[in-house]
């Protein structure tokens, strides 16, 4: 799978959030590069863990801002965040227990998880946070 390319379509014009999204793209690409170049299991585990840990931190940033701005979609957005994290942690656990390999399918899930979520859900709060 090719690396994720940052594009202006992902920009929300909320600097803190845009910076965090860019960082997640970069962490995903590090993981993807590790998969493409046959890095060790320990290195891949480390890269996956960085991606998931930073995603958890990013979701917390967003949720704090949503509450601060009384965002009407907060409950639904948080529900989606929680489901994404649960799914990612299950994947992480399965990989660390040697039950799965990091495959193309995993990459597609993780990259779609990042890009679709930004375009579908994050874009909705952008205008409120910008004010
Ligand atoms: Fe940028 Fe809702 O995650």
């Amino acid at each position: 799978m090719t690396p994720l390319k940052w594009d202006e379509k992902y920009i929300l014009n909320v600097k803190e959030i845009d910076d965090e999204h860019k960082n997640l793209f970069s962490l995903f690409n590090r993981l993807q590069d590790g998969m493409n170049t046959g890095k060790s299991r320990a290195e891949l585990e480390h890269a996956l863990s960085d991606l998931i840990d930073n995603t958890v931190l990013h979701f917390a940033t967003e949720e704090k801002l949503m509450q601060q701005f009384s965002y009407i979609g907060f409950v639904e957005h948080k529900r989606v965040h929680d489901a994404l994290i649960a799914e990612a942690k299950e994947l992480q656990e399965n990989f660390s227990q040697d039950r799965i390999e990091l495959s193309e399918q995993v990459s597609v899930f993780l990259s779609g998880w990042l890009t679709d979520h930004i375009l579908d859900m994050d874009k909705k709060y952008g205008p409120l946070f910008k004010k």
Side-chain angles (χ1 to χ4, degrees):
M1 183 165 169
T2 52
L4 277 180
K5 194 168 176 304
W6 183 256
D7 184 273
E8 65 179 26
K9 72 182 173 189
Y10 299 115
I11 293 174
L12 303 184
N13 287 311
V14 181
K15 188 177 178 336
E16 185 178 10
I17 299 293
D18 289 332
D19 287 349
E20 289 187 1
H21 284 158
K22 273 186 208 160
N23 183 46
L24 295 180
F25 270 52
S26 158
L27 292 171
F28 170 82
N29 286 338
R30 183 158 66 94
L31 174 64
Q32 183 62 51
D33 183 61
M35 290 164 67
N36 291 343
T37 56
K39 288 276 194 298
S40 71
R41 198 169 187 90
E43 286 170 294
L44 293 178
E45 267 187 65
H46 188 65
L48 180 62
S49 175
D50 276 350
L51 174 61
I52 294 175
D53 290 350
N54 277 275
T55 301
V56 169
L57 290 173
H58 165 63
F59 286 173
T61 304
E62 266 184 11
E63 288 164 16
K64 194 175 96 196
L65 286 168
M66 283 182 211
Q67 287 183 297
Q68 195 177 321
F69 289 98
S70 304
Y71 176 55
I72 198 163
F74 170 74
V75 171
E76 173 60 10
H77 202 127
K78 179 163 174 31
R79 189 191 63 72
V80 171
H81 281 174
D82 291 347
L84 287 172
I85 291 299
E87 207 170 349
K89 289 207 177 247
E90 187 181 346
L91 187 155
Q92 183 179 30
E93 176 69 12
N94 283 334
F95 182 59
S96 73
Q97 297 296 319
D98 233 350
R99 289 193 288 259
I100 60 162
E101 291 301 320
L102 292 185
S103 60
E104 174 85 12
Q105 197 182 351
V106 171
S107 282
V108 169
F109 161 68
L110 289 171
S111 61
W113 180 73
L114 280 171
T115 56
D116 294 347
H117 181 73
I118 293 172
L119 295 174
D120 289 349
M121 294 204 79
D122 291 352
K123 281 270 174 176
K124 292 180 187 158
Y125 70 62
L128 176 70
F129 289 10
K130 243 189 336 183
K131 277 184 194 166

